[in-house]
Amino acid sequence: MNGLADEDLALLLLIRCFERKLLALFAQGELNGTTHTCLGQEYVPVSLRPLLRDSDWIFSNHRGHGHYLARFDDPEGLLAEIMGRKGAVCDGVGGSQHLRRGRYLSTGVQGQSLPVAAGVALHLKRHEPGALACAYIGDGTWGEGAVYEALNMAALWRLPLLVVVEHNGIAQSTPTSAQMAGTVAGRAAAFGVRHHALDDLDVAAVRREVAPLIEEARTDPGPLVLEFRTHRLGPHSKGDDVRPPGAPLIDWYAAYRAAHPAQSARIEAAAHDRVERVAAEVAARPPASWGGS
Amino acid sequence: MRVGENLNRALHGLLRDDSSVYVLGEDILDPYGGAFKITKGLSERFPDRVLATPLSEGAIAGAAAGLALAGEKAVVEIMFGDFAALAFDQIMNFAAKSVTMYGRRVPMPLVVRCPSGGHRGYGPTHSQTLQKHFLGVPGLSLFEVTPFHDNRAVLDRMLALGEPCLLFEDKVLYTRPMYGEGAVDELFAWRPVDDVAVVELADGGDPDYTLIVPGGLVHRAVSAMRTLLLEHDLAGALLVPSRLHPFDPAGVPELVPLLARTGLVCVAEDGTAGGTWGEHVAAGLHTRLWGTLRRPVALVSSAPSVIPTAVHLEREVLVQDTTIRSAVLEGLHG
Ligand SMILES: Cc1ncc(C[n+]2csc(CCOP(=O)(O)OP(=O)(O)O)c2C)c(N)n1
Ligand SMILES: [Mg+2]
């Protein structure tokens, strides 16, 4: 793997350490409810980070911590949201799956965000040409009708809608092979929508590959589906992985660490320390208070 | 002016006065102008902001919510209100939730228009009034078109709320005239109290009973009131709110005498009984006016059935003026 700038690796490992910490906090009974970690998929939002602009909207989903941290350097606010502590991004109301900050918004209902993103893209096309709406969805979410209604509308109206598919081959417990007939590419083609699939886990290579496509989606509006063939390392939420233990999992970090051990060790230690500090500090905060409806 | 024309003019005025307003729906472009012609002329005048959509009620509602999220305002036409079921997730789990679920209030100026109701022979899936399925959702208000309330004011009010609103429109009303100031007919007059149109005998006096109905039942209610007066010598009052939910008539001091001192309060609505708007209103009245109500609130719903297509079968299922009249007589004397 190509070497990464410290800044990129630091963000990747911040997300990795953050997610590991969440699972640990759950195991210790410190967290309530549920959460979905993006272990193994961190490089997707990190790759896209410099290709997206502040004026772009981002629609995230249930597996959205990496999306959020790639947009905002705010592990404190995110953890406070997940722990229901003061300083929470959404006062503890939304929790892990329902975040909103500026032009970043996540929802916990699969597929729901695509029509909304299309509406936002319509506004952007008219009032802020060049900006786009980016929606992250998983492979399983291609079972939802909302996805097709939105793709059709966005293609008809030539809306600047970037659909980032994190195709990790599984939805909760169901492998893609048991839930998707055909392919994402075929479905995009049916709507005359641009589609590009990537297997690469290398941030620099991903950026090189997708930068011109995203640029084109801005200057010649219309939906673009970017399909990342990626790998979910952890459970769907917590302690609910029914895949056979020991099955080979592809981890960008294992590969990177092997190629760049010294840089990895140094930056991972820093990320780990930061997350530990954040966790201790946030845990000590008073409960979040909500102004109410 | 007919109700449909009033609504059409309201949309024209809204689009003219506020360049952030969009209207979206199926088949709403000229020359067709919408299945019920309520959007006639809009697309010719405002081609950029009046958008014909594919048959995708969920995405229409979702895209409208996206526009609202991005700072615009959106009015959606669901061709037949029955199809709001296909937009339920976007309305209930996205648009309404978003107002409060992100901690700080997110303004969501969005109106979903739902042409509703039967009496036109459209059959089981094109004749319903779905209010009850949308009741009590935080961040969601329900309104209904009436022949009393100017629709421009109603639209302005809904958009100013900054939360999604459903506007139910009884299709039968479209061709009925709006009541001008004061007179309903030679017997009855109306006046606005808060957002409630109050219809009473023109020569005053305390009513023997009071009806509460959404806009779509006004003509059936007034017809029942005429018969009750002329054949049974019973004077009635009628309350017609613009906003159906939340709605708290007992919280309006001027309405309390019409509710507490009258012989019977009867709430009539379209749709089958069971978890309905009328039951909700009745529960509120029982709680708020316990001890002063003369009798339990009477309820009128349509028969527990799908709505048949054939005219004689449909008539048996839907609420008629005679259904309301019988309920009042039974409530007072039964
Ligand atoms: C409409 C809807 N149905 C079901 C769920 C429960 N659920 C949450 S995540 C998930 C699997 C999603 O799979 P995928 O889209 O592949 O995303 P991944 O979890 O793999 O990132 C399911 C079924 C949901 N949140 N929303
Ligand atoms: Mg998946």
Side-chain angles (χ1 to χ4, degrees):
Chain A
M1 279 185 121
N2 290 313
L4 285 165
D6 279 4
E7 184 199 7
D8 285 326
L9 187 59
L11 178 54
L12 285 162
L13 291 175
L14 171 70
I15 301 170
R16 170 84 36 131
C17 294
F18 186 91
E19 299 290 53
R20 281 199 201 127
K21 185 68 187 173
L22 284 188
L23 292 178
L25 288 170
F26 260 109
Q28 292 158 19
E30 297 291 326
L31 292 186
N32 182 40
T34 190
T35 198
H36 308 84
T37 63
C38 65
L39 294 167
Q41 306 180 183
E42 299 91 340
Y43 69 92
V44 177
V46 174
S47 300
L48 294 175
R49 195 175 77 102
L51 307 179
L52 296 176
R53 305 175 182 165
D54 287 347
S55 54
D56 294 336
W57 283 69
I58 294 184
F59 290 86
S60 175
N61 60 359
H62 60 296
R63 206 174 296 291
H65 305 155
H67 309 154
Y68 181 83
L69 293 173
R71 177 82 162 191
F72 305 107
D73 182 35
D74 180 30
E76 298 83 0
L78 179 57
L79 187 61
E81 183 63 36
I82 296 167
M83 297 187 87
R85 295 296 204 279
K86 206 166 174 56
V89 191
C90 296
D91 292 348
V93 184
S96 165
Q97 310 189 67
H98 313 96
L99 298 171
R100 179 182 163 272
R101 180 167 166 187
R103 295 186 167 200
Y104 179 100
L105 180 142
S106 67
T107 68
V109 180
Q110 302 308 320
Q112 185 185 61
S113 69
L114 242 62
V116 179
V120 166
L122 174 60
H123 165 85
L124 292 175
K125 177 178 177 161
R126 292 175 174 206
H127 297 285
E128 300 176 48
L132 55 76
C134 165
Y136 286 95
I137 59 173
D139 47 294
T141 299
W142 288 79
E144 296 291 349
V147 171
Y148 304 94
E149 291 193 3
L151 270 186
N152 183 49
M153 206 176 253
L156 279 171
W157 296 353
R158 306 206 56 76
L159 302 180
L161 174 67
L162 171 62
V163 181
V164 176
V165 186
E166 293 175 300
H167 188 331
N168 55 16
I170 189 164
Q172 202 146 336
S173 71
T174 308
T176 309
S177 56
Q179 60 164 352
M180 185 186 291
T183 59
V184 172
R187 293 169 186 214
F191 292 95
V193 163
R194 292 171 286 205
H195 167 271
H196 185 77
L198 309 89
D199 291 302
D200 221 316
L201 312 178
D202 183 308
V203 168
V206 169
R207 285 181 186 156
R208 265 198 311 278
E209 201 170 329
V210 304
L213 303 172
I214 294 178
E215 196 47 38
E216 188 192 344
R218 295 182 190 282
T219 51
D220 174 20
L224 165 65
V225 176
L226 285 183
E227 179 184 1
F228 288 83
R229 302 212 186 89
T230 186
H231 310 276
R232 191 191 90 195
L233 293 182
H236 168 66
S237 51
K238 58 218 181 176
D240 63 350
D241 207 337
V242 292
R243 293 174 293 186
L249 292 169
I250 296 172
D251 179 7
W252 65 267
Y253 186 46
Y256 190 85
R257 203 174 37 205
H260 308 276
Q263 185 201 23
S264 297
R266 171 170 54 87
I267 292 185
E268 185 179 347
H272 178 264
D273 286 353
R274 180 176 179 200
V275 167
E276 288 300 323
R277 272 198 315 277
V278 166
E281 190 267 306
V282 169
R285 293 184 190 180
S289 55
W290 183 35
S293 52
Chain B
M1 189 192 303
R2 295 179 196 284
V3 173
E5 194 187 343
N6 176 273
L7 189 51
N8 174 256
R9 285 195 189 184
L11 290 167
H12 270 278
L14 189 62
L15 282 158
R16 179 197 59 213
D17 297 342
D18 186 342
S19 63
S20 70
V21 171
Y22 284 70
V23 175
L24 296 91
E26 295 162 12
D27 300 292
I28 63 172
L29 297 194
D30 298 314
Y32 191 71
F36 297 102
K37 311 304 167 204
I38 301 304
T39 56
K40 216 171 182 41
L42 297 181
S43 70
E44 266 175 15
R45 232 175 125 191
F46 311 99
D48 292 345
R49 291 181 288 129
V50 178
L51 305 177
T53 65
L55 275 71
S56 305
E57 288 74 13
I60 299 169
L67 284 168
L69 195 61
E72 315 270 15
K73 303 186 183 77
V75 178
V76 162
E77 175 173 299
I78 302 287
M79 185 184 282
F80 283 82
D82 312 63
F83 312 152
L86 286 99
F88 193 63
D89 177 62
Q90 288 292 346
I91 294 169
M92 195 270 287
N93 269 334
F94 184 73
K97 292 279 181 302
S98 293
V99 177
T100 55
M101 81 169 170
Y102 296 109
R104 267 129 285 182
R105 209 171 163 84
V106 177
M108 192 54 76
L110 166 63
V111 173
V112 180
R113 296 183 37 240
C114 297
S116 298
H119 307 279
R120 295 183 52 143
Y122 288 142
T125 63
H126 290 61
S127 306
Q128 300 165 91
T129 28
L130 296 189
Q131 287 93 333
K132 72 177 184 181
H133 301 290
F134 291 93
L135 275 179
V137 178
L140 184 64
S141 283
L142 311 188
F143 287 74
E144 181 152 327
V145 164
T146 89
F148 303 105
H149 297 87
D150 175 58
N151 286 297
R152 177 61 198 274
V154 175
L155 285 169
D156 286 346
R157 180 181 174 200
M158 289 189 290
L159 290 173
L161 280 176
E163 65 179 46
C165 297
L166 295 186
L167 178 63
F168 294 95
E169 304 170 2
D170 195 306
K171 301 189 278 280
V172 167
L173 281 189
Y174 290 148
T175 53
R176 295 298 198 105
M178 294 290 292
Y179 292 116
E181 229 164 86
V184 169
D185 56 22
E186 76 287 3
L187 293 177
F188 297 103
W190 77 277
R191 62 193 164 99
V193 176
D194 206 67
D195 94 326
V196 180
V198 177
V199 180
E200 291 161 305
L201 267 184
D203 50 15
D206 278 350
D208 298 304
Y209 66 92
T210 296
L211 298 174
I212 305 178
V213 306
L217 278 95
V218 164
H219 298 95
R220 286 169 273 168
V222 170
S223 165
M225 287 162 75
R226 290 181 69 86
T227 317
L228 287 163
L229 182 72
L230 299 176
E231 294 178 14
H232 302 272
D233 200 27
L234 291 169
L238 169 65
L239 311 187
V240 187
S242 169
R243 188 189 201 170
L244 296 182
H245 190 85
F247 171 54
D248 177 23
V252 183
E254 222 185 307
L255 296 178
V256 171
L258 292 171
L259 301 163
R261 284 215 296 272
T262 186
L264 174 76
V265 177
C266 172
V267 189
E269 63 191 327
D270 283 312
T272 54
T276 71
W277 174 75
E279 291 167 14
H280 184 74
V281 170
L285 291 175
H286 290 147
T287 309
R288 303 278 249 122
L289 301 176
W290 187 251
T292 55
L293 285 173
R294 300 269 292 276
R295 289 182 176 80
V297 175
L299 292 167
V300 174
S301 294
S302 56
S305 161
V306 301
I307 301 168
T309 306
V311 63
H312 64 291
L313 300 176
E314 185 188 45
R315 196 182 303 124
E316 281 172 27
V317 166
L318 295 179
V319 172
Q320 308 293 334
D321 54 355
T322 49
T323 331
I324 299 173
R325 184 185 63 196
S326 309
V328 170
L329 291 174
E330 220 170 273
L332 284 172
H333 307 308

